[in-house]
Amino acid sequence: AFSAGISACGSAGKWEEALCLLGKMLDGAGPSPDVIAFNSSISACDHGHQWQRALTLLRLMASTATQANVITMNATMSACLKARAWDRALLLFAEMLDS
């Protein structure tokens, strides 16, 4: 239910609400966030032109032992590209190739 809510918020352009739901999950108010919850949150950041927050979420995933996947990397790279942060997108692409 939390991941679906995050996704709905992201699709509606409400990235702040999406991150609030993820925050509740991280604080223990809901289930522990999985890759789907993180991917939905990163996609919400992508839609909301919040590339730096998308990068922060990607790093947060690692600290929670949640494994990023191709969807995670694509959404994060998309957020960077929309912001013209080409160097960050290329670094992410290189990371993806190395893993």
Side-chain angles (χ1 to χ4, degrees):
F2 274 81
S3 292
I6 292 169
S7 181
C9 289
S11 295
K14 298 183 180 289
W15 63 268
E16 298 100 333
E17 286 87 349
L19 296 186
C20 182
L21 286 173
L22 179 68
K24 288 181 180 184
M25 293 175 80
L26 290 165
D27 289 341
S32 294
D34 58 8
V35 69
I36 296 169
F38 275 106
N39 287 350
S40 296
S41 299
I42 290 171
S43 290
C45 290
D46 177 21
H47 294 307
H49 306 287
Q50 300 296 314
W51 68 276
Q52 291 171 319
R53 284 185 169 84
L55 286 172
T56 299
L57 291 175
L58 179 64
R59 303 300 174 223
L60 180 60
M61 285 180 77
S63 73
T64 63
T66 305
Q67 183 68 40
N69 61 21
V70 172
I71 296 168
T72 312
M73 300 306 285
N74 283 340
T76 309
M77 285 187 288
S78 175
C80 291
L81 290 171
K82 286 178 183 173
R84 301 182 194 270
W86 313 112
D87 57 336
R88 301 290 180 140
L90 288 172
L91 286 172
L92 289 171
F93 185 69
E95 279 181 36
M96 190 172 68
L97 291 176
D98 287 342
S99 62

